[in-house]
Amino acid sequence: VATFVYDIQTRDGARLDARAYAPAQTAATFHRAPTAADAAHAWAAATYAHGGCFSNGDCESFAELDKSLAARGLLVVDTSFRQGASNPHPGALYDLGDVAAATRAIAPDLPLGVVGSSSGGFLALALAAHPARWGAGEPFAFALALAPVADPLARAEYLRECISGKTPVRQCHGPPLATRMLTSQLTYFPGGDAEMREARDLVCRRPGRHHNDPTRTFVVAGGHDKNVPLHVLSDVLLWAHRSLVLGGRGHEIQETLDDDSLETVVGWLRDAAQYDACGGGVAHEVKVPD
């Protein structure tokens, strides 16, 4: 895998630290932006939105996941997009829209997808639902959401239940950690419940693409995820083209998948990248491993 260390300028003139990872015959690091020639061995490109409870993380927080995807043929662009109190909702979506446009410009002939983990999973789904609104341009070929906070309001309500000790979820966080998580999430949603409800509605319907054919979406969830219990993303699990629930796994799936699961995901994304928007569709499938 080749690593590229550079930055991306946003529409308001800010510069975001960026890391790009490209499939390569030998490992190397370059202090420049990648070019189309650097993506010669890739079958698709992807803008990646890291997790961090809507306020933490940067372009290197999920480097191992980025490299795993790149080793399997994706050109992945990860950035330190702005979020939290310094760039509240929907600020991160505008940053990621600019990142997606910059990613597309690297290799215009490659299909472009969007990938996100945890809070970044919400951002990926919202970006895919309305790409032009956020400045990403054309619809994405695919969207992959790993343990996404698909419904920020439902997650906030769950955390409040953890704090009060009245949650029906059997495996949950204790009050101190739940309090820290809720505080972090609310820095990005200073408008509180009303703003989180509106944010949820950004992803409540299928991401669209040309001819009303939805962007093909894959959602991966952990059956024992204390950060994002299944009810927080239940609506998305129902409309996603493919949903994979990993029994016995927790929130670690946002950054680490076992080889079999990763091969399943990447194989499906490869098919999605080759999908002809003008022909055919795919059946909805929900798979829960034994």
Side-chain angles (χ1 to χ4, degrees):
V1 172
T3 302
F4 298 84
V5 180
Y6 66 114
D7 59 35
I8 293 174
Q9 184 170 327
T10 64
R11 69 194 73 189
D12 63 355
R15 305 201 74 89
L16 308 177
D17 286 339
R19 301 290 183 272
Y21 304 91
Q25 295 178 337
T26 58
T29 299
F30 303 94
H31 290 268
R32 60 171 176 82
T35 66
D38 296 315
H41 299 291
W43 46 264
T47 296
Y48 178 73
H50 63 74
C53 213
F54 293 100
S55 64
N56 303 309
D58 58 33
C59 62
E60 295 186 333
S61 298
F62 290 74
E64 292 308 310
L65 175 62
D66 294 333
K67 291 177 182 178
S68 293
L69 293 172
R72 290 164 174 80
L74 277 169
L75 168 67
V76 182
V77 175
D78 196 345
T79 59
S80 299
F81 60 87
R82 296 168 294 174
Q83 54 181 332
S86 65
N87 195 35
H89 181 73
L93 287 167
Y94 285 113
D95 274 6
L96 288 167
D98 291 343
V99 172
T103 304
R104 194 187 304 274
I106 295 170
D109 294 334
L110 285 179
L112 176 64
V114 59
V115 180
S117 298
S118 192
S119 57
F122 161 79
L123 296 171
L125 292 170
L127 191 65
H130 308 279
R133 176 177 178 178
W134 311 117
E138 296 296 315
F140 293 94
F142 58 81
L144 170 63
L146 303 172
V149 185
D151 185 339
L153 179 58
R155 213 276 282 270
E157 291 172 341
Y158 158 70
L159 292 173
R160 289 169 182 146
E161 291 172 347
C162 291
I163 294 168
S164 68
K166 297 179 180 179
T167 177
V169 179
R170 291 172 58 187
Q171 296 190 17
C172 63
H173 287 309
L177 178 54
T179 298
R180 292 195 297 272
M181 290 178 63
L182 180 60
T183 299
S184 181
Q185 179 169 320
L186 290 177
T187 63
Y188 184 66
F189 296 107
D193 287 8
E195 190 171 47
M196 289 187 287
R197 185 176 297 107
E198 292 175 357
R200 174 197 64 195
D201 292 345
L202 290 174
V203 301
C204 71
R205 62 179 183 274
R206 298 186 178 191
R209 65 177 303 176
H210 297 308
H211 307 294
N212 296 317
D213 200 0
T215 295
R216 298 176 69 177
T217 302
F218 197 139
V219 176
V220 183
H224 292 166
D225 191 337
K226 294 182 181 180
N227 280 32
V228 187
L230 288 177
H231 75 273
V232 172
L233 44 79
S234 58
D235 287 346
V236 173
L237 289 174
L238 292 175
W239 62 252
H241 288 81
R242 178 75 185 269
S243 301
L244 178 63
V245 179
L246 299 174
R249 298 296 301 278
H251 202 58
E252 72 277 0
I253 67 164
Q254 68 163 330
E255 55 184 329
T256 304
L257 291 174
D258 62 84
D259 287 342
D260 286 345
S261 297
L262 190 56
E263 292 299 333
T264 296
V265 168
V266 171
W268 191 92
L269 295 182
R270 183 187 287 270
D271 289 342
Q274 298 172 348
Y275 182 70
D276 182 351
C278 295
V282 294
H284 171 79
E285 179 179 1
V286 175
K287 181 179 181 181
V288 181
D290 296 332

